[in-house]
Amino acid sequence: MYRVRVQILPREGVFDPQGQTVKGALEKLGFEEVKEVRLGKLIEIVLDAEDESQVKERTKAMCEKLLANPIIETYQLLDVEEIP
């Protein structure tokens, strides 16, 4: 069994209204040094696979078919952990 974490973020240049809202709120709270905020998703998946390469292959397929919209989002596998 493996646990994989995937980060999904808006692509650079794609308008991120949630990120803009958070940035504005941070500025109002006195954090003027914040120049950009992008809000995304962190998805954790536990799956049964033979090895880490199969986990990466299957997770990539999941991202491309469902979890991320390739037109406006990017995804990145953050880590893969073997679990008992």
Side-chain angles (χ1 to χ4, degrees):
M1 296 284 269
Y2 289 86
R3 177 180 296 122
V4 60
R5 293 180 344 149
V6 180
Q7 174 184 285
I8 299 173
L9 289 172
R11 287 191 177 276
E12 289 289 334
V14 171
F15 181 64
D16 180 3
Q18 291 177 315
Q20 290 297 313
T21 300
V22 170
K23 179 182 180 290
L26 289 170
E27 288 172 347
K28 288 179 183 174
L29 291 171
F31 298 102
E32 295 87 14
E33 68 272 19
V34 175
K35 300 301 178 200
E36 181 182 356
V37 175
R38 294 188 315 145
L39 234 54
K41 307 177 256 196
L42 175 67
I43 300 173
E44 187 174 282
I45 303 167
V46 175
L47 63 153
D48 191 10
E50 292 180 19
D51 55 31
E52 189 171 321
S53 67
Q54 186 183 35
V55 170
K56 290 178 179 179
E57 176 186 317
R58 298 298 289 161
T59 303
K60 180 180 176 186
M62 291 176 205
C63 289
E64 292 175 358
K65 290 183 178 187
L66 176 69
L67 302 177
N69 179 341
I71 296 169
I72 61 170
E73 296 175 316
T74 62
Y75 67 88
Q76 177 181 4
L77 275 62
L78 297 178
D79 57 49
V80 176
E81 171 189 11
E82 190 169 7
I83 55 176

